[in-house]
Amino acid sequence: MLRRATDADLPSMLAWRNQEANRSVSINQHVITAEEHSAWWSRVSQDPTRRVLMFEYASRTLGVVTFFDHDPVARSASWGFFLDHDGTTADGTALLAW
């Protein structure tokens, strides 16, 4: 299931984004600070061209899906995602999440 991200999701999003497996495949590969993350959330949560969703399975949040550059007239958007790589790998739910 996908649901809209909330302020309560920010700590998990930041921790997962900073996992090595996620950083290594990201455009920006540095460790994101809490301040950077907060500034990002302030921007994207107010941007009508963006959506940040949380992926949940069996009442457990496993990852983040982002849609950006949404243009309803052109019917286009870009998207990205990342999982709680460390958690889903450790408990065997990574393949399920994919």
Side-chain angles (χ1 to χ4, degrees):
M1 174 179 102
L2 294 174
R3 64 165 174 80
R4 283 191 183 263
T6 68
D7 292 348
D9 296 308
L10 292 178
S12 294
M13 276 193 270
L14 178 58
W16 300 339
R17 171 55 181 79
N18 280 333
Q19 291 174 353
E20 176 61 31
N22 293 326
R23 282 196 341 268
S24 68
V25 296
S26 297
I27 291 170
N28 297 312
Q29 296 183 350
H30 70 283
V31 172
I32 304 293
T33 66
E35 293 78 20
E36 286 177 283
H37 190 57
S38 180
W40 168 83
W41 180 246
S42 292
R43 288 189 310 274
V44 302
S45 63
Q46 302 301 313
D47 186 341
T49 70
R50 302 196 58 140
R51 298 287 182 276
V52 180
L53 307 171
M54 303 304 288
F55 169 63
E56 292 184 340
Y57 179 79
S59 300
R60 181 172 160 219
T61 306
L62 300 177
V64 180
V65 178
T66 61
F67 291 93
F68 53 98
D69 298 333
H70 178 236
D71 182 341
V73 174
R75 298 178 60 162
S76 66
S78 298
W79 69 283
F81 70 97
F82 57 92
L83 298 174
D84 171 8
H85 177 270
D86 296 349
T88 59
T89 300
D91 69 11
T93 57
L95 184 59
L96 171 99
W98 281 99

